[in-house]
Amino acid sequence: MYVVKNLIVGCGLSGIVMANRIANELDQEVLIIDSKDHIGGTCFDYKDVNGITVHKYGPHIFRTNSERIWHLLSKYTDWYPFMHRVLGIIDGIEVPIPFNLNSLYKVFPPQKAKELEIKLIKEFGFNKKIPILELRKTEDRDLNFLAEYIYNKVFLGYTLKQWGFTPEQLDPSVTGSVPVYISKDDRYFQEKYQGIPSEGYTKMFEKMLDHPKIKVLLNTDYSKAKDTINYERLFYTGAIEEFFNYKFGKLPYRSLDLQFRTYDTNRFQNAAVVNYPENYDFTRITEYKYFLNEKSEKTVLSFEYPQDFEEGKNDRIYPILNKENQAIYDRYLEEAKKLPNVYFLGRLGAYRYYDMNRTIAGALELFDSIKK
Ligand SMILES: Cc1cc2nc3c(=O)[nH]c(=O)nc-3n(C[C@H](O)[C@H](O)[C@H](O)COP(=O)(O)OP(=O)(O)OC[C@H]3O[C@@H](n4cnc5c(N)ncnc54)[C@H](O)[C@@H]3O)c2cc1C
């Protein structure tokens, strides 16, 4: 029987941040267990045989506006100052994504692009991000033509592949997260701090966990181990519905079939991530050597095929947010509030798509509330 003050289920980003803070600030013991055979959860990366750092669960680019988060992580890593640029293949042309003023000039003749640029700025202002469903409401004939073009060429195919639904059938936060950007800024993110840990995420996590009060047990599922661990506090970063044995029903997710291929060429594509809204069954191709500017005569790519989540077959990746699923989640949340000294956190505890910044912020908010 293990006796420990703090048990953390899940050695992903949220569990690691929580363990790191409890050990360093409260000087308390932490046992952290994970059913997988590696630390890092969805952010796990590794160097492959060609010396290229591969993100096992898909491309991860860190960004934040929070000084606290940036400086906390920077104690454990240097950063390669990577600014993410995404291209999409539209009518066979490489176009910056999110669709912006530069994209306009890529797909339309200069005269037409100029007219549309002037109208866009006049109607919405410069440096503004407009969700596509809002742009489609415009009454101006030319802007309406543009909105339909972007909707059909950039959003519709990608969303159908990614979610199996049209943009209208999804929670507005989903399509709103990739807006039309009235700007010349080709970057995918605008946060102050952006980058990739210079030795990879996993190395950074190893350093965050390297503390005499932290013990990590891998290949250990909570459902099997729980009767052998005696704890005062439990931090649970797995799926909330699984913890409660699905008593209010399942929460649906989309998952990914990520197919990795190594090509015998120095470079395959012109950006780390290229989206394919119109062609093929995959949504995007990632070329991993971009992230740390790694040199090799070969290159490693992943092709992303979205699919439904099925227990035992694949991982829970993107929660399918709608009113019905939110209502199920709310019932679990009410149940969770009844348990003293059990805390749910992370993307699976919140049933939300959380980027790393939001995941860390959530763990720090919880830590601040319990340390008082
Ligand atoms: C394809 C993809 C791309 C992404 N790209 C970015 C990006 O570019 N930038 C960005 O900021 N964010 C990105 N994210 C988001 C980022 O991955 C998450 O914010 C982060 O991984 C969430 O960490 P977590 O600890 O909450 O969850 P997870 O990483 O899922 O960790 C949870 C851990 O709990 C373990 N676990 C679950 N149940 C049990 C159990 N019963 N017993 C034991 N262990 C259990 C799991 O094995 C897992 O290791 C991306 C996510 C995906 C899926």
Side-chain angles (χ1 to χ4, degrees), residues 1 39 46 69 86 120 171 194 201 211 246 260 266-268 282 305 311 324 328:
M1 175 72 81
I39 64 166
Y46 60 94
I69 291 176
V86 174
L120 273 174
D171 188 273
Q194 309 188 17
Y201 291 96
H211 188 287
Y246 306 101
F260 288 93
N266 184 32
R267 273 266 185 265
F268 174 76
F282 49 79
Y305 294 86
E311 187 123 29
E324 196 187 335
I328 301 174

Side-chain angles (χ1 to χ4, degrees), residues 9-15 33-36 38 40-43 57-63 189 220-223 236-239 242 256 284 304 317-318 345-348 353-357 359:
V9 175
C11 197
L13 181 58
S14 48
I33 63 170
D34 202 297
S35 48
K36 291 197 192 304
H38 60 73
T42 314
C43 302
Y57 299 92
H60 277 71
I61 301 94
F62 184 75
R63 81 273 184 181
F189 305 121
T220 306
D221 196 280
Y222 174 71
S223 62
Y236 195 85
T237 76
E242 196 174 276
L256 286 178
R284 58 179 184 170
E304 278 182 50
I317 300 290
Y318 302 107
L345 68 157
R347 63 184 195 95
L348 297 168
Y353 176 81
Y354 275 178
D355 61 20
M356 290 183 272
N357 175 53
T359 299

Side-chain angles (χ1 to χ4, degrees), residues 1-12:
M1 175 72 81
Y2 268 104
V3 181
V4 69
K5 188 161 177 66
N6 300 285
L7 172 63
I8 300 182
V9 175
C11 197

